[in-house]
Amino acid sequence: MIGILKVVLIIGLLLFLIRKKWDLGLVLFLGAALTEILFRLDVRAFGGDVFRASTAGDTLSLVGIFWLVIYLGNFMGKKEHFRIMIDALKRLVPDARLILALPPAFIGLLPVFAGAMLSAPIIEEAGKRWRLKPAWKTFLNYWFRHIWEYSWPLYANLIIAAAVLKIPILRISLHQLPFTFLAAGVGLFVLFRSVRALPRESREGRKRAAAVRLLYSLWPILLVIVLIFALRLKMLLALGLTALATQVLSRMSLKERGGLMLKSLDWKSGILIVSVMVFKQVLGTSGALEAVGRAVSPQGAGAYVLLFAAPFIIAWLTGVNQAFVGISFPMLLPIFGEANPDMMLVVFAYVSGFCGILLSPAHLCLVTTIEYFKSSFNDVYRILLAPVAAVWSAALLMLIIFKFIL
């Protein structure tokens, strides 16, 4: 119980400082320091955690990936790829409002770190037609970017889950596929209910030409997909080669090229990524996450509470998909069933964790899109809470029906 109270205190501090509009990178670092104080009181160990997390290959790779994603977004914006995409979509989609959903959903097929930043400029451009408020642009970009993470087998969190459970990833993907459709449906319901329809524009002109223009506007993203999925390159290398291709194939002056690259080296975002990784490291090594697991008995009714609480709290605290799966799923194996996991329990735990991810103030996609659109957590949460609750309620209803009724 004392461990849980300590975790609650850490959560309270994070929420308080975020509400006071402190820089999130600083907030997470202070949260890591408080975790260390409350659970270990070992300054030397804390320094070691900070050093290891900051210099880890994964952390440096994530920083590189994030900056390259920003670069591709800046490049596509400067070369008017997003304007071309929107113009092509106007001729291809039956309702103009779908332009606010399709680009982030398409880009969501690419499991790239902070991928929401790729579609953010598109939503910024498209949103001008409706004069959308920043919170709405943030929600639409963020929500449709993440509809695939329940079932798309190329996401690392699903790969880790399959490895932990020792089952084929296709089995998890198929069981969780309905939640991708549900998330898309919920998002479209909110979109069509909240954004007014525009008069149908003339769709004269050949659709084939519009489709070609759409493909042209997306060529950097399509190249990344080919390099990663067809040629099996690491994401950092694929993004680097794509960035190089944009430099080679595009006509820009040296000044433009240099300015584009310097603009993409966002030091503040780099610090934020490092802070997230430090926070995640300290949570794991200090024993804070184990305290959450020990607080609820893994037997009887407590097991169902743990199925929700463990992945949700870990996800909410870290904002990292791999963290909630990699930390909570091994802990939940006795409940899932080690020899033949109960997929209803797995799906409920996964959806609970991903709902925590969607609501986490440490989730980089949420943080960076809020910063990009100059919105606020409070305004975005007012829109986001109901769709997240709808998805989680569906998972709870599924659990009740399959475990207690059928």
Side-chain angles (χ1 to χ4, degrees):
M1 182 57 68
I2 294 177
I4 280 291
L5 291 177
K6 291 177 180 179
V7 171
V8 170
L9 178 61
I10 295 167
I11 294 173
L13 174 69
L14 291 175
L15 288 175
F16 175 77
L17 295 180
I18 289 170
R19 193 174 182 83
K20 291 294 183 180
K21 301 188 183 300
W22 283 37
D23 178 76
L24 184 61
L26 176 60
V27 169
L28 288 174
F29 187 83
L30 292 176
L34 179 61
T35 302
E36 185 67 35
I37 291 171
L38 293 178
F39 282 91
R40 283 198 301 186
L41 287 172
D42 190 335
V43 176
R44 185 172 296 179
F46 177 65
D49 283 341
V50 172
F51 178 78
R52 283 190 295 274
S54 301
T55 59
D58 287 345
T59 301
L60 298 177
S61 176
L62 289 177
V63 172
I65 288 170
F66 187 76
W67 282 345
L68 286 169
V69 168
I70 293 176
Y71 167 80
L72 288 179
N74 289 337
F75 168 81
M76 294 176 72
K78 185 175 182 62
K79 304 302 287 186
E80 298 191 330
H81 284 241
F82 301 127
R83 183 191 59 77
I84 295 170
M85 177 191 296
I86 292 169
D87 182 65
L89 285 173
K90 288 179 185 177
R91 298 182 180 278
L92 294 172
V93 300
D95 190 310
R97 290 172 291 184
L98 290 174
I99 298 173
L100 297 168
L102 290 178
F106 179 82
I107 292 171
L109 289 170
L110 177 66
V112 64
F113 185 71
M117 290 297 289
L118 277 175
S119 55
I122 305 174
I123 301 302
E124 180 69 49
E125 179 70 25
K128 293 176 182 177
R129 303 178 67 194
W130 289 271
R131 296 181 180 178
L132 292 180
K133 293 182 179 180
W136 276 104
K137 288 185 283 188
T138 301
F139 167 76
L140 293 169
N141 184 63
Y142 181 66
W143 184 264
F144 286 104
R145 161 68 178 81
H146 290 91
I147 62 174
W148 303 104
E149 292 202 43
Y150 302 95
S151 61
W152 189 238
L154 297 173
Y155 274 96
N157 30 319
L158 286 170
I159 295 171
I160 294 172
V164 170
L165 299 172
K166 297 181 180 179
I167 60 175
I169 192 171
L170 187 60
R171 184 178 174 189
I172 299 178
S173 296
L174 290 176
H175 276 87
Q176 298 188 167
L177 183 61
F179 287 91
T180 287
F181 290 117
L182 175 62
V186 169
L188 289 174
F189 175 79
V190 173
L191 169 62
F192 286 119
R193 185 179 180 183
S194 305
V195 179
R196 72 183 188 281
L198 294 177
R200 184 183 292 266
E201 297 182 10
S202 172
R203 296 173 63 196
E204 294 179 2
R206 294 182 299 172
K207 288 187 177 181
R208 182 176 296 178
V212 170
R213 286 173 61 81
L214 179 62
L215 289 175
Y216 167 76
S217 71
L218 290 170
W219 79 259
I221 298 172
L222 295 175
L223 178 57
V224 172
I225 292 174
V226 170
L227 291 175
I228 293 174
F229 301 143
L231 301 183
R232 303 290 184 181
L233 298 184
K234 293 284 183 72
M235 193 171 296
L236 181 63
L237 178 58
L239 287 167
L241 290 174
T242 302
L244 179 62
T246 64
Q247 290 284 315
V248 172
L249 299 176
S250 299
R251 295 179 179 177
M252 292 186 288
S253 67
L254 287 176
K255 184 178 180 180
E256 287 179 313
R257 295 174 192 274
L260 198 60
M261 289 186 284
L262 288 175
K263 182 181 177 182
S264 304
L265 298 177
D266 186 348
W267 64 269
K268 188 175 180 180
S269 298
I271 292 175
L272 173 59
I273 293 169
V274 172
S275 295
V276 169
M277 302 307 287
V278 168
F279 188 49
K280 174 187 171 185
Q281 173 82 12
V282 172
L283 281 172
T285 58
S286 67
L289 296 178
E290 287 81 356
V292 174
R294 291 194 302 268
V296 182
S297 172
Q299 302 297 327
Y304 291 99
V305 175
L306 194 61
L307 283 172
F308 162 74
F312 182 87
I313 292 174
I314 294 169
W316 193 91
L317 280 172
T318 64
V320 180
N321 287 311
Q322 295 92 321
F324 94 78
V325 174
I327 295 170
S328 71
F329 272 42
M331 181 173 61
L332 295 172
L333 270 177
I335 300 174
F336 292 147
E338 295 190 43
N340 185 28
D342 187 322
M343 293 307 298
M344 294 301 104
L345 301 182
V346 170
V347 171
F348 178 71
Y350 185 96
V351 173
S352 295
F354 193 65
C355 286
I357 290 291
L358 290 173
L359 295 174
S360 174
H363 186 187
L364 286 172
C365 272
L366 179 59
V367 174
T368 52
T369 47
I370 284 176
E371 185 174 337
Y372 181 90
F373 290 114
K374 307 302 180 188
S375 53
S376 71
F377 274 98
N378 287 342
D379 291 340
V380 174
Y381 277 144
R382 288 191 186 99
I383 306 169
L384 185 62
L385 281 173
V388 171
V391 172
W392 184 80
S393 297
L396 178 62
L397 181 62
M398 175 211 70
L399 182 68
I400 293 172
I401 291 174
F402 282 94
K403 298 303 294 184
F404 299 103
I405 296 178
L406 296 182

